[in-house]
Amino acid sequence: MIIKYFSWIREHVGKSEEEINLPESVITIDDLINYLISENDVYKIAFLKRDLIKIAVNKSYSSTSTKINNKDEIAFFPPVTGG
Amino acid sequence: MIIKYFSWIREHVGKSEEEINLPESVITIDDLINYLISENDVYKIAFLKRDLIKIAVNKSYSSTSTKINNKDEIAFFPPVTGG
Amino acid sequence: MKKIESVLIKIKIQKNDFDVSKETKQLNINQPGAIVNFIGIVRGLDDKTNEKIYSMTLEHYPGMTETEIETIIYDASKRWKISAVTVIHRIGKLFSSDQIVFVGVASKHRQNAFNACNYIMDWLKTKAPFWKIEESSKEKKWVKFNASDNDAIKKWTEIK
Amino acid sequence: MKKIESVLIKIKIQKNDFDVSKETKQLNINQPGAIVNFIGIVRGLDDKTNEKIYSMTLEHYPGMTETEIETIIYDASKRWKISAVTVIHRIGKLFSSDQIVFVGVASKHRQNAFNACNYIMDWLKTKAPFWKIEESSKEKKWVKFNASDNDAIKKWTEIK
């Protein structure tokens, strides 16, 4: 699975993209966030304002309850500020 | 008094502008229209759709009851169609 | 550009075409944030009869036109905070696809620019003394006032 | 330009500046009658702190940005009859007074062009994945989402 990070989330995680192998226990986006946080403290800081963070699965807006699989492209980013 | 005509009113009257000496009996725009019609038949045709015609006195929208004097510039024109 | 209260205003009635980029750049002063442009285009078909229009010719009432447009801009500036407005209206002979009118509004916030531009255009359509004659292959005819333009201004008495 | 249903669509995410005249001319096809452009300008002062901003840098999510904007244009075309839409959004480093975003809409009737342009801009502000970092003399900071942009989209659920 490819995970992308943008804006200040990217800066906290320290990379814009990474590839991970999804553990079987991870079913939803929520599970994925919990898994990442358990792996490394940088995610704890990145996901501190968890309610604020926007999620995309395969470049479409999704929610924390969205089910994911190893072929998906996941992205985490703050509310958008373009225009 | 200068009177200006625009669009199809100008075409009916046959001129874009004329100078007349206001008779004493003419107090309002309504009087002026009646006076013009009494003078020449071209005005009868020009002012046939009288309710439709817009009036300006000294370049400001006015109504048929507006009082006028010999120093005013009067304009008669159809509803506008710019833009 | 002329200044009315705090709004920079430019009004031009001209035969020549206008350059939308140049006008946009001129509105981009004092940190506007948002610029909204309206550009009216000459249509090649009559809206009702679908008849092909070869050309149109516009006349106006010099002096009154400018005053009316200035009043409209002034009224818009009382309703929305705007920083600059440009209105250019062409006269004379125009052909299908020609640019005929430009209304550009600059503001700090986009909704003010959208509303003021829309408002100025609606009122220009019902108040500014311009008249169009349309030339098709068959005839020349004066364009009739469009009743929908009177409906358009109604929204400004409802929304604030 | 790409065509979705009967609407010609152009979406560009680019570092380079855009030319408003050129974009307007490209929208002037199939007898539109009306073209409405929105141009966003980089402001040199922070809206809340009034602090001077030296520059800003924009990043986005390639692929998702284009899809989101296309969806917004598609939704707009279901609500209003429009003939062509161009959206250009710049990325990279921009300075005060630079043009940042262009939304142009062509339609036969002006109210449709005004509404669709306004709608696309409002939704772009809340949905298109762009992020700005502002650089002042003191610091670099990520721009916070503006709550008023969430309020802006509410009007589209009220007016039809």
Side-chain angles (χ1 to χ4, degrees), chain D residues 18 27 34 38 82 89 93 99 108 111 129:
Chain D
F18 47 81
L27 290 164
F38 175 86
I82 53 182
H89 203 299
K93 195 162 191 159
Q99 302 186 127
K108 208 170 164 192
Q111 202 52 58

Side-chain angles (χ1 to χ4, degrees), chain A residues 26-76:
Chain A
V26 171
I27 312 287
T28 67
I29 292 281
D30 225 10
D31 299 337
L32 175 63
I33 297 173
N34 290 334
Y35 167 72
L36 291 168
I37 287 171
S38 71
E39 288 288 297
N40 192 320
D41 271 0
V42 299
Y43 299 103
K44 206 173 275 177
I45 299 160
F47 288 102
L48 206 62
K49 295 174 183 174
R50 202 157 154 172
D51 297 344
L52 219 118
I53 290 169
K54 303 289 179 186
I55 303 139
V57 175
N58 300 323
K59 299 191 173 84
S60 282
Y61 279 101
S62 301
S63 70
T64 49
S65 60
T66 304
K67 284 181 185 156
I68 50 176
N69 69 58
N70 213 29
K71 282 173 290 175
D72 289 330
E73 176 180 302
I74 312 295
F76 294 108

Side-chain angles (χ1 to χ4, degrees), chain B residues 4-8 10-11 56 59-61 73-75 77-83, chain C residues 59-64 68 89 100-101 125-132 142-143 145:
Chain B
K4 288 175 179 262
Y5 307 98
F6 293 95
S7 181
W8 51 260
R10 170 174 53 72
E11 290 182 340
K59 301 192 171 88
S60 284
Y61 279 102
E73 176 180 302
I74 312 296
F77 49 81
V80 303
T81 57
Chain C
E59 67 176 64
H60 80 124
Y61 185 178
M64 182 171 174
E68 280 299 316
H89 203 299
I100 173 169
V101 60
K125 275 282 203 181
T126 58
K127 287 288 187 181
F130 291 98
W131 303 275
K132 276 188 197 111
W142 289 99
V143 174
F145 177 76

